Coordinates of all heavy atoms in Angstrom, one line a residue:
N86 N -6.1 -0.1 -5.3 CA -5.5 -1.1 -6.2 C -4.0 -1.0 -5.9 O -3.5 -0.1 -5.2 CB -5.8 -0.9 -7.6 CG -5.5 0.6 -8.1 OD1 -4.4 1.0 -7.9 ND2 -6.5 1.2 -8.7
L87 N -3.2 -1.9 -6.5 CA -1.8 -2.0 -6.2 C -1.0 -0.7 -6.7 O -0.1 -0.3 -6.0 CB -1.2 -3.2 -6.8 CG 0.2 -3.6 -6.5 CD1 0.4 -3.7 -5.0 CD2 0.6 -4.9 -7.2
L88 N -1.4 -0.2 -7.8 CA -0.7 1.0 -8.3 C -0.9 2.2 -7.3 O 0.0 2.9 -7.1 CB -1.3 1.4 -9.7 CG -0.7 2.7 -10.4 CD1 0.8 2.5 -10.5 CD2 -1.4 2.9 -11.7
E89 N -2.1 2.4 -6.8 CA -2.4 3.5 -5.8 C -1.6 3.2 -4.6 O -1.0 4.2 -4.0 CB -3.9 3.6 -5.6 CG -4.6 4.3 -6.7 CD -6.0 4.7 -6.4 OE1 -6.4 4.7 -5.2 OE2 -6.7 5.1 -7.3
L90 N -1.5 2.0 -4.1 CA -0.6 1.7 -2.9 C 0.8 2.1 -3.2 O 1.5 2.7 -2.4 CB -0.8 0.3 -2.4 CG -0.1 0.0 -1.2 CD1 -0.7 0.7 0.0 CD2 0.0 -1.5 -0.9
H91 N 1.3 1.7 -4.4 CA 2.7 1.9 -4.8 C 2.9 3.4 -4.8 O 4.0 3.9 -4.3 CB 3.0 1.3 -6.1 CG 4.4 1.6 -6.6 ND1 5.5 1.1 -6.0 CD2 4.8 2.4 -7.6 CE1 6.6 1.6 -6.7 NE2 6.1 2.3 -7.7
L92 N 2.0 4.2 -5.5 CA 2.2 5.6 -5.5 C 2.2 6.2 -4.1 O 3.0 7.1 -3.8 CB 1.1 6.2 -6.3 CG 1.1 6.0 -7.9 CD1 -0.2 6.5 -8.5 CD2 2.3 6.8 -8.4
S93 N 1.3 5.7 -3.2 CA 1.3 6.2 -1.9 C 2.6 6.0 -1.2 O 3.2 6.9 -0.5 CB 0.2 5.5 -1.1 OG -1.1 5.7 -1.6
H94 N 3.2 4.8 -1.4 CA 4.4 4.4 -0.7 C 5.6 5.2 -1.3 O 6.5 5.7 -0.6 CB 4.7 2.9 -1.0 CG 6.1 2.5 -0.5 ND1 6.9 1.8 -1.4 CD2 6.8 2.7 0.6 CE1 8.0 1.6 -0.8 NE2 8.0 2.1 0.4
R95 N 5.6 5.4 -2.6 CA 6.6 6.2 -3.3 C 6.7 7.6 -2.9 O 7.8 8.2 -2.8 CB 6.5 6.0 -4.8 CG 7.5 6.7 -5.6 CD 8.1 6.0 -6.7 NE 9.2 6.8 -7.2 CZ 9.2 7.2 -8.5 NH1 8.2 6.9 -9.3 NH2 10.1 8.0 -8.9
I96 N 5.5 8.2 -2.6 CA 5.5 9.6 -2.4 C 5.4 10.0 -0.9 O 6.0 11.0 -0.5 CB 4.2 10.2 -3.1 CG1 4.5 10.1 -4.6 CG2 4.0 11.7 -2.7 CD1 3.3 10.4 -5.5
A97 N 4.8 9.2 -0.1 CA 4.6 9.6 1.3 C 6.0 9.7 2.0 O 6.8 8.8 1.9 CB 3.8 8.5 2.0
E98 N 6.1 10.7 2.8 CA 7.4 10.9 3.5 C 7.4 10.0 4.7 O 8.5 9.5 5.1 CB 7.4 12.4 4.0 CG 7.6 13.4 2.9 CD 7.5 14.8 3.4 OE1 7.5 15.0 4.6 OE2 7.4 15.7 2.6
D99 N 6.3 9.7 5.3 CA 6.2 8.7 6.4 C 5.2 7.7 6.1 O 4.1 7.8 6.7 CB 5.9 9.5 7.7 CG 6.0 8.6 8.9 OD1 6.8 7.6 8.9 OD2 5.3 8.9 10.0
F100 N 5.5 6.8 5.2 CA 4.5 5.8 4.8 C 4.1 4.8 5.9 O 5.0 4.2 6.4 CB 5.0 5.0 3.6 CG 4.1 4.0 3.0 CD1 3.0 4.4 2.2 CD2 4.3 2.7 3.3 CE1 2.1 3.5 1.7 CE2 3.4 1.7 2.8 CZ 2.3 2.1 2.0
K101 N 2.8 4.7 6.2 CA 2.4 3.8 7.1 C 1.1 3.1 6.6 O 0.2 3.8 6.1 CB 2.0 4.4 8.5 CG 3.2 4.9 9.2 CD 2.7 5.4 10.6 CE 3.8 6.0 11.5 NZ 5.1 6.0 11.3
Y102 N 1.2 1.8 6.5 CA 0.0 1.0 6.0 C 0.0 -0.3 6.8 O 1.0 -1.0 6.9 CB 0.2 0.7 4.5 CG -0.9 -0.1 4.0 CD1 -2.2 0.4 3.7 CD2 -0.8 -1.5 3.7 CE1 -3.3 -0.3 3.2 CE2 -1.8 -2.2 3.2 CZ -3.0 -1.7 3.0 OH -4.1 -2.5 2.5
T103 N -1.2 -0.6 7.3 CA -1.4 -1.8 8.0 C -2.4 -2.7 7.2 O -3.6 -2.3 7.1 CB -2.0 -1.6 9.4 OG1 -1.1 -0.7 10.1 CG2 -2.1 -2.9 10.2
P104 N -1.9 -3.8 6.7 CA -2.8 -4.6 5.9 C -3.8 -5.4 6.8 O -3.5 -5.6 8.0 CB -1.9 -5.6 5.2 CG -0.7 -5.7 6.1 CD -0.6 -4.3 6.7
K105 N -4.9 -5.7 6.3 CA -6.0 -6.4 7.0 C -5.9 -7.9 6.5 O -5.3 -8.2 5.5 CB -7.3 -5.8 6.8 CG -7.4 -4.4 7.3 CD -8.7 -3.7 6.8 CE -8.8 -2.2 7.2 NZ -8.0 -1.4 6.3
Q106 N -6.7 -8.7 7.2 CA -6.7 -10.1 6.8 C -7.3 -10.3 5.4 O -6.9 -11.2 4.7 CB -7.5 -10.9 7.8 CG -7.3 -12.4 7.7 CD -7.7 -13.2 8.9 OE1 -8.1 -12.6 9.9 NE2 -7.6 -14.5 8.9
N107 N -8.2 -9.5 5.0 CA -8.8 -9.6 3.6 C -8.1 -8.8 2.6 O -8.5 -8.6 1.5 CB -10.3 -9.2 3.7 CG -10.5 -7.8 4.1 OD1 -9.6 -7.1 4.6 ND2 -11.7 -7.3 3.8
T108 N -6.9 -8.2 2.9 CA -6.1 -7.5 1.9 C -5.7 -8.5 0.8 O -5.2 -9.6 1.1 CB -4.8 -6.9 2.6 OG1 -5.3 -6.0 3.6 CG2 -3.9 -6.2 1.7
P109 N -5.8 -8.0 -0.4 CA -5.4 -8.9 -1.6 C -4.0 -9.4 -1.5 O -3.1 -8.7 -1.0 CB -5.6 -8.0 -2.8 CG -6.6 -7.0 -2.4 CD -6.3 -6.7 -0.9
R110 N -3.8 -10.6 -2.1 CA -2.4 -11.2 -2.0 C -1.3 -10.4 -2.6 O -0.2 -10.3 -2.2 CB -2.5 -12.6 -2.8 CG -3.1 -13.7 -2.0 CD -3.0 -14.9 -2.8 NE -2.2 -15.9 -2.0 CZ -2.3 -17.1 -2.2 NH1 -2.9 -17.6 -3.3 NH2 -1.6 -18.0 -1.5
D111 N -1.7 -9.7 -3.8 CA -0.7 -8.9 -4.4 C -0.2 -7.8 -3.6 O 1.0 -7.4 -3.6 CB -1.2 -8.4 -5.8 CG -1.2 -9.4 -6.9 OD1 -0.5 -10.5 -6.7 OD2 -1.9 -9.2 -7.9
I112 N -1.0 -7.2 -2.8 CA -0.7 -6.1 -1.8 C 0.3 -6.7 -0.8 O 1.3 -6.1 -0.4 CB -1.9 -5.4 -1.3 CG1 -2.5 -4.5 -2.4 CG2 -1.4 -4.5 -0.1 CD1 -3.7 -3.8 -2.0

């Protein structure tokens, strides 16, 4: 969910995330 992605981004020292075509719009 968006909160978990935000927490991941906020905490990860080297944040890497590649969205997919079916990734929700809010993300």
